[in-house]
Amino acid sequence: MSRTPESLPPAPAPRPSGPQVVVIGAGIVGCALADELTARGWTDVTVLEQGPLPAPGGSTSHAPGLVFQTNPSRTLTAFARYTVEKFDSLREDGVPCFRPVGGLELATTPERLAELHRRAGYAAAWGVRGEVVSAARCKELWPLLDTSAVLGGFHTPDDGLARAVPAARAQLERARGRGARVLDRHTVTGIERADGRVTGVVTDRGVFPADHVVSAAGFWGPVVGRMAGVDVPLQPLAHQYARTRPLPELAGAAEEAVRPVLRFQDRDLYFREHHDRIGIGSYAHRPLPVDPFAVPGYDEARAGGREMPSSYPFTAADWAPSWEDCRRLLPALRATEIEEGFNGVFSFTPDGMPVLGPSRALRGFWLAEAVWVTHSAGAAKAVAEWMVHGRASVDLHECDLTRFEDAQRSPSYVAERGARQFVEVYDVLHPLQPMEQPRPLRVSPFHARQRELGAYFLEGGGWERPHWYEANAPLAEGLDVPARDAWSARYWSPVAAAEAKAARERVALYDMTPLRRLEVTGPGALGFLDRMTTNNLRKRPGAVTYTLLLDEAGGIRSDLTVARLGPDHFQLGANSPADLDWLLAHAPGGVTIRDVTAGTCCVGVWGPLARDLVQPLTHEDFSHEGFGYFRAKRAYVGHVPVTALRVSYVGELGWELYTTADLGLRLWDTLWEAGRAHGVIAAGRSAFNSLRLEKGYRAWGVDMTDEHDPYEAGLGFAVRMDHEFVGRSALDPSAVPERKLTPLLLDDPAAVVLGKEPVSVGGGAADGYVTSASYGYTLGRCVAYAWLPPLPAGTGVHIAYFGDRLPATVAEEPLFDPKMTRIRR
């Protein structure tokens, strides 16, 4: 007897495959990650959630769902673009999980209007549709606006509203369909480990074995991290959100929202429709930090009268000033009141970026934290790719857990910087603008002398970095330095031109202490580094080599300067904590790797008179014949033992002189006193960047990342295919690149760009974007490097800068001293 389809038994669940993965947290990130992992064949996935599904009480449960794709970070924009694409394809009860109503950002000051033009540049560079529109167009898009004070807006038609809880539920259902299991009402109480690796997750309802554990716990991330012995640099803060009573102007609204999501950043406000009501969020209030270890569980929160753990009582006094600003912008609100409001908790990090990736402290333990709904699907995709394939398809160095220095991991630092990120979330921020506190945190041994010289410090990686010295201001008098617009003049001084000129004509001291230094030693050190890097390191002691760290796909993880100081002793000039993490992860027994940055310091002595300054201070031969280019030598400079590397990142004769931190001040003073006769000056990072771009020297993380291979980046000279190294099999030296890092010279001698601007070749849509740029004081033109299709020298392009189209020309590199005669003398 045949069976009808209805009488057939249910199909068996798919057999799980891949390693055992436990995801902690069923918010929007955990749900997206389960979906992305199972889509890639890792179906043995368990999602644990302490609250009830589908709204377990974390940040996702109360998220207003705003999605603005444009961000200064190319990576965050890529995350948001994927989130829009994915959510637009998801349905929950037949309703799309994304509503593309668009976005509208308003300007009521000239500074904000200029910022909107800059954001339009980001959008064009990163592939997001958007345009700066008039106040009249803003009124058309949002009829309730009082545009009397509005100067214009930035309209992005593809932005909109994500339905966070339905999107989470839809992604979980897809993951379940591939074999994943989702368990709510399971409170995680511990992380099991053995031999430095995660082995399972302990809950109040049993233990779950695991090869990989991912913390996607949102603002509970630090709690889970402590169980694993992993610092999670995340500070939860409460953010005010309120809904009005019904508005007559919106009566009868059939759709949840039809107007663009509105941002009034000059007053730290945003608005969205909820049928006939308006939802309003405010960042204008004082920071309201929340202790993640004190947040109650779901049931405890409900018992205490709260809707969910992430929803704190509304503080009316904090809301009052914002409500007045709302009523001025939207006069219809003057006839209504707030019907309901709450202070919702979500996560901030010291730099405002997510925290993603594996932990070195506990192998197999991953973080997917501080991710907002806007970036949720994109971030989850990147983490899933990283877990399954060993790398993500987008550059993640801005999000990598390892980016934070030890000095940036203290609870007080995380709390202070996280709170500041909340305050500045809608501020107009210059790309060089540093945090104000806590400073100074890390200083070189030369800091006291730098202050005496009037150093203007900016901050990077916690380090105080001089950008120029007011003591050199008299040297700038009479120089023909073009005037700058107000934006590019911020955190800049014409003194930088004088410092660059001195380095080209005399000699200058540069503080290179913040550059990371690693020491690799042991009988297997040479073989290890030879396998990890692209260039030939099998040179006799005293050799210095520029080389690259690649991933398995041939992407540039970092660039290194490797000095062989002895048969089994190497000093590496590296870029970030991620370099140390990568090398430690691959190091065999018998190889020791140490970060020696904090205990050492470095002075760059560069300029045509560098030898005249240094040679009389040492008994070693510092002549060109006795101390060749890209060589290393141990010596005494005065009374100070140094490791001298004859390398130059400014394109002039000179050395990097390294010593221990306790002798740093003595080294500086020795060089300074001897240099007086040669017109020595101290020079800062502003001049340094100008000089290095004139030579075409790349900066990893800015000019190239693991999205690029060496040949695209113009670094094929640092690759030797005659030995095996990580990433070798992915390289094809004969392939014609589809894009190249391209040097541009702006045609107008007075024009300046700063980086991240879109570049167009034919006058239409953007064909690429600027990576780094600086005025070349020797060349008398602004130098900009950009990722573009291969173009012959002499090709004209345009760079968009605050709404203007600045003409530029593709140049041959190196732009300065192509025969290297100034360095090799």
Side-chain angles (χ1 to χ4, degrees):
M1 185 175 73
S2 64
R3 286 176 161 179
T4 63
E6 289 77 9
S7 65
L8 291 173
R15 182 183 297 275
S17 63
Q20 289 181 303
V21 180
V22 173
V23 178
I24 301 173
I28 192 69
V29 179
C31 295
L33 181 58
D35 183 36
E36 297 289 338
L37 284 171
T38 56
R40 287 163 176 78
W42 281 22
T43 58
D44 194 350
V45 174
T46 300
V47 181
L48 300 176
E49 173 54 56
Q50 65 173 340
L53 292 175
S59 300
T60 302
S61 304
H62 69 246
L66 280 67
V67 177
F68 284 87
Q69 298 172 82
T70 305
N71 192 283
S73 166
R74 181 170 172 268
T75 297
L76 288 190
T77 302
F79 286 174
R81 289 181 63 190
Y82 181 77
T83 301
V84 167
E85 176 186 334
K86 185 177 186 180
F87 285 10
D88 193 47
S89 69
L90 292 176
R91 298 291 184 274
E92 210 276 332
D93 294 333
V95 180
C97 291
F98 182 75
R99 181 176 290 277
V101 294
L104 180 63
E105 303 177 43
L106 302 177
T108 58
T109 66
E111 293 76 17
R112 180 67 63 179
L113 185 61
E115 168 72 359
L116 295 187
H117 279 287
R118 192 162 68 102
R119 290 181 62 77
Y122 293 146
W126 313 146
V128 176
R129 287 200 305 156
E131 63 173 337
V132 177
V133 298
S134 67
R137 177 59 177 153
C138 293
K139 182 73 171 179
E140 291 176 5
L141 292 166
W142 251 89
L144 300 184
L145 281 173
D146 177 356
T147 56
S148 60
V150 175
L151 303 180
F154 176 45
H155 181 222
T156 46
D158 300 323
D159 289 341
L161 294 167
R163 299 172 62 232
V165 172
R169 187 160 54 227
Q171 290 176 98
L172 271 190
E173 288 307 312
R174 299 205 312 191
R176 278 195 181 107
R178 302 186 190 106
R181 59 176 174 170
V182 183
L183 303 174
D184 64 357
R185 296 294 189 172
H186 281 65
T187 300
V188 173
T189 59
I191 305 295
E192 292 190 333
R193 64 195 97 172
D195 299 323
R197 183 167 189 88
V198 70
T199 60
V201 177
V202 183
T203 76
D204 58 350
R205 299 174 68 175
V207 178
F208 295 83
D211 302 303
H212 297 275
V213 173
V214 186
S215 176
F219 56 77
W220 281 292
V223 179
V224 175
R226 180 175 291 182
M227 298 176 192
V230 175
D231 289 333
V232 180
L234 178 159
Q235 174 61 55
L237 289 113
H239 159 61
Q240 291 198 305
Y241 191 78
R243 294 192 193 193
T244 68
R245 297 184 184 278
L247 297 179
E249 292 83 354
L250 302 180
E255 302 287 347
E256 179 185 3
V258 295
R259 294 171 179 81
V261 183
L262 184 67
R263 290 208 283 198
F264 183 22
Q265 289 143 306
D266 288 330
R267 290 295 183 269
D268 296 310
L269 293 165
Y270 62 82
F271 305 82
R272 59 152 295 180
E273 296 170 292
H274 291 281
H275 293 284
D276 60 353
R277 294 163 170 80
I278 300 290
I280 307 166
S282 172
Y283 293 97
H285 56 83
R286 61 193 168 94
L288 300 168
V290 173
D291 180 358
F293 295 90
V295 177
Y298 186 90
D299 292 329
E300 185 182 351
R302 298 280 289 186
R306 284 159 51 184
E307 182 179 353
M308 60 187 72
S310 60
S311 177
Y312 276 62
F314 191 65
T315 50
D318 292 312
W319 177 257
S322 290
W323 184 230
E324 293 305 312
D325 289 329
C326 294
R327 290 174 156 186
R328 280 192 288 270
L329 183 70
L330 302 174
L333 299 182
R334 297 170 189 170
T336 190
E337 296 294 336
I338 295 301
E339 184 174 65
E340 58 180 348
F342 66 97
N343 291 358
V345 182
F346 64 141
S347 304
F348 286 82
T349 62
D351 59 4
M353 299 293 288
V355 180
L356 309 178
S359 166
R360 191 197 322 156
L362 181 61
R363 296 191 305 279
F365 185 80
W366 296 72
L367 295 179
E369 299 290 11
V371 180
W372 296 1
V373 171
T374 299
H375 310 113
S376 57
K381 176 189 176 187
V383 173
E385 291 173 334
W386 199 347
M387 294 177 71
V388 176
H389 305 300
R391 73 189 302 270
S393 56
V394 297
D395 166 45
L396 295 182
H397 84 273
E398 293 177 309
C399 308
D400 195 326
L401 167 63
T402 62
R403 72 187 182 271
F404 293 109
E405 306 281 351
D406 288 343
Q408 297 172 305
R409 292 176 176 272
S410 72
S412 57
Y413 184 95
V414 172
E416 192 167 352
R417 289 278 173 120
R420 192 63 194 171
Q421 287 293 333
F422 178 93
V423 170
E424 294 181 345
V425 70
Y426 279 169
D427 285 2
V428 177
L429 299 176
H430 193 277
L432 292 177
Q433 184 171 334
M435 285 281 193
E436 296 178 0
Q437 296 295 334
R439 291 180 63 195
L441 183 63
R442 307 176 77 187
V443 298
S444 80
F446 324 131
H447 186 71
R449 297 292 182 264
Q450 292 165 344
R451 292 184 62 186
E452 292 168 3
L453 294 170
Y456 187 91
F457 292 101
L458 298 180
E459 183 248 16
W463 287 100
E464 294 296 316
R465 299 185 177 194
H467 273 241
W468 68 84
Y469 294 84
E470 286 300 325
N472 297 323
L475 301 177
E477 295 175 2
L479 292 183
D480 184 16
V481 182
R484 293 199 173 196
D485 64 275
W487 185 252
S488 65
R490 291 184 67 184
Y491 307 104
W492 171 84
S493 168
V495 172
E499 294 177 358
K501 187 172 187 289
R504 290 279 188 240
E505 296 179 355
R506 300 192 308 279
V507 62
L509 305 184
Y510 290 84
D511 182 0
M512 307 302 290
T513 301
L515 299 185
R516 183 169 307 279
R517 291 171 290 286
L518 307 179
E519 182 182 73
V520 182
T521 57
L526 175 59
F528 166 63
L529 290 174
D530 192 54
R531 177 170 54 86
M532 295 302 298
T533 68
T534 60
N535 214 335
N536 175 29
L537 301 184
R538 295 186 178 275
K539 304 170 184 176
R540 69 183 189 274
V544 180
T545 306
Y546 177 79
T547 188
L548 306 173
L549 284 177
L550 304 184
D551 61 21
E552 295 287 356
I556 304 172
R557 284 191 57 93
S558 189
D559 61 344
L560 306 175
T561 301
V562 180
R564 190 175 189 187
L565 304 180
D568 302 318
H569 185 187
F570 295 83
Q571 177 178 300
L572 278 57
N575 286 295
S576 77
D579 296 343
L580 175 63
D581 189 76
W582 177 256
L583 292 172
L584 285 172
H586 290 82
V591 173
T592 300
I593 306 171
R594 295 194 308 132
D595 188 331
V596 298
T597 309
T600 57
C601 59
C602 178
V603 182
V605 186
W606 290 310
L609 301 183
R611 184 174 289 117
D612 297 321
L613 192 163
V614 176
Q615 183 63 83
L617 298 174
T618 181
H619 294 288
E620 296 292 331
D621 184 0
F622 271 56
S623 69
H624 182 61
E625 295 73 22
F627 196 158
Y629 187 55
F630 262 72
R631 298 291 298 169
K633 181 180 290 193
R634 296 276 178 77
Y636 282 89
V637 172
H639 298 285
V640 180
V642 302
T643 299
L645 273 57
R646 190 174 168 196
V647 295
S648 173
Y649 289 95
V650 302
E652 296 293 337
L653 169 69
W655 294 266
E656 291 180 352
L657 302 178
Y658 296 88
T659 192
T660 53
D662 60 318
L663 290 169
L665 189 57
R666 184 61 178 264
L667 175 62
W668 180 279
D669 288 345
T670 299
L671 294 168
W672 187 259
E673 289 303 317
R676 289 180 184 274
H678 305 289
V680 71
I681 67 160
R685 298 289 298 180
S686 186
F688 176 89
N689 285 329
S690 171
L691 298 171
R692 71 107 179 157
L693 280 170
E694 289 184 330
K695 284 297 294 178
Y697 294 144
R698 278 66 166 146
W700 185 85
V702 180
D703 296 316
M704 73 278 191
T705 68
D706 62 6
E707 291 187 19
H708 311 106
D709 72 39
Y711 304 106
E712 296 172 325
L715 298 175
F717 67 88
V719 178
R720 296 291 183 268
M721 298 292 286
D722 57 359
H723 72 290
E724 290 298 324
F725 55 84
V726 174
R728 182 184 183 278
S729 61
L731 299 181
D732 182 1
S734 64
V736 178
E738 296 182 0
R739 57 184 178 179
K740 292 185 69 176
L741 187 59
T742 304
L744 306 174
L745 284 175
L746 273 71
D747 294 352
D748 182 353
V752 173
V753 297
L754 300 180
K756 300 186 178 181
E757 296 87 359
V759 183
S760 59
V761 179
D767 297 285
Y769 59 92
V770 174
T771 58
S772 56
S774 181
Y775 197 85
Y777 300 107
T778 314
L779 301 174
R781 292 286 192 281
C782 182
V783 180
Y785 272 76
W787 280 103
L788 289 168
L791 298 170
T795 302
V797 301
H798 285 89
I799 303 174
Y801 182 73
F802 286 98
D804 293 331
R805 285 167 44 84
L806 305 180
T809 303
V810 175
E812 293 276 6
E813 63 175 342
L815 306 174
F816 177 78
D817 188 26
K819 296 184 178 180
M820 303 284 283
T821 57
R822 298 177 70 89
I823 294 178
R824 302 176 184 270
R825 58 181 174 184

